[in-house]
Amino acid sequence: MVFGTSCKQCGVRGQALCGVLADEELAPLAACGVQRSLARGETLVHAGDQAPICANIQRGLMKISHINPAGQEVIVGLLWPGDFVGTPFAGGPPLPAAHDIVALTPVSLCQFPQARVERTMVAHPAMERALLSRTLAELGAVRTRLSRLARATALARVAGFITESAHRSGVDDGETVTTIELPLSRGEMADLLGLTIETVSRQMTRLKNAGVIGLPGGRRVEIHDPDALAEAAEELV
């Protein structure tokens, strides 16, 4: 379906890459955008695909993963509303995708032709700078995460994931009790954090017993003491 909704009504306009453009600057790109919906478990990009994808995630969560030589899935990252998917300016023929990108929940996104995104960035350097800034920030975050994973305790990894999930969900607003829905199952958290599912469960129970969080059921987590949770996320070996 051709994208017909006004960009002014987009719930992630302020977070999305195209948010740096004025309405009249964005119009040519918006006119060729396509609105897509993915069901939970549906794949947007398969590892090895060469078809270039450029899209803004409007709603829902996605995982970036690959299958290791042992046949096990390894989750290497998450994509949240407002995140950009794609690689403009590939510098030649499209390279095969290195990872799968799969919907963890029902997802809505705006997909654009790669060539149109590239032309828009050339015409409006602010958008190109925004992409560069995001890419560098993501690279810095990955480096920090890898450094911390080498020294962080299991408790810190789990607490840090809960803290980041609250932040990215936009619900860490300082209320006495904040309830969030974790984007991953405990098994998926274990894959992402380099732990076993049993260790993830033990650390969540430890946080619960300390009064830092509540576990009302399913993937829901109640954050009772955000300061203590943030402190636990900094614990190092």
Side-chain angles (χ1 to χ4, degrees):
M1 179 178 67
V2 175
F3 180 69
T5 303
S6 170
C7 291
K8 293 180 180 179
Q9 299 172 357
C10 177
V12 296
R13 174 77 182 273
Q15 305 159 249
L17 185 63
C18 54
V20 301
L21 301 180
D23 291 344
E24 62 274 12
E25 296 171 331
L26 181 56
L29 181 63
C32 64
V34 173
Q35 185 81 19
R36 288 191 60 184
S37 296
L38 302 177
R40 174 181 171 83
E42 191 172 350
T43 300
L44 175 67
V45 176
H46 292 273
D49 282 354
Q50 293 191 332
I53 294 288
C54 287
N56 289 323
I57 299 177
Q58 294 177 304
R59 180 178 63 89
L61 299 170
M62 308 194 79
K63 64 181 176 181
I64 306 170
S65 64
H66 70 272
I67 304 300
N68 67 18
Q72 301 168 318
E73 182 185 46
V74 178
I75 300 173
V76 297
L78 300 176
L79 294 167
W80 302 77
D83 283 346
F84 178 78
V85 182
T87 310
F89 306 111
L95 296 175
H99 302 95
D100 297 323
I101 301 180
V102 181
L104 285 168
T105 67
V107 168
S108 297
L109 51 84
C110 293
Q111 185 172 324
F112 307 97
Q114 183 187 50
R116 173 62 73 175
V117 174
E118 291 180 357
R119 289 198 295 271
T120 301
M121 288 186 177
V122 170
H124 303 290
M127 188 175 174
E128 187 176 4
R129 288 194 298 270
L131 177 61
L132 176 60
S133 177
R134 286 182 177 221
T135 302
L136 292 175
E138 182 178 346
L139 177 60
V142 169
R143 288 172 172 169
T144 298
R145 187 178 302 116
L146 289 174
S147 175
R148 282 191 53 77
L149 282 177
R151 300 177 295 129
T153 64
L155 179 67
R157 299 184 194 191
V158 172
F161 179 77
I162 296 172
T163 298
E164 182 181 8
S165 296
H167 173 68
R168 292 302 303 266
S169 299
V171 296
D172 52 342
D173 53 11
E175 293 183 356
T176 303
V177 177
T178 295
T179 300
I180 65 170
E181 186 91 6
L182 291 178
L184 301 179
S185 68
R186 296 191 184 189
E188 291 168 329
M189 286 173 59
D191 290 339
L192 181 66
L193 301 175
L195 302 171
T196 65
I197 186 172
E198 294 80 9
T199 299
V200 169
S201 294
R202 282 197 300 270
Q203 301 310 316
M204 293 185 73
T205 299
R206 180 179 170 188
L207 290 168
K208 175 185 176 182
N209 291 341
V212 178
I213 65 172
L215 299 173
R219 297 187 185 183
R220 287 178 296 159
V221 173
E222 296 172 346
I223 301 176
H224 296 286
D225 191 336
D227 291 335
L229 185 64
E231 183 178 346
E234 296 299 321
E235 183 178 272
L236 301 178
V237 174

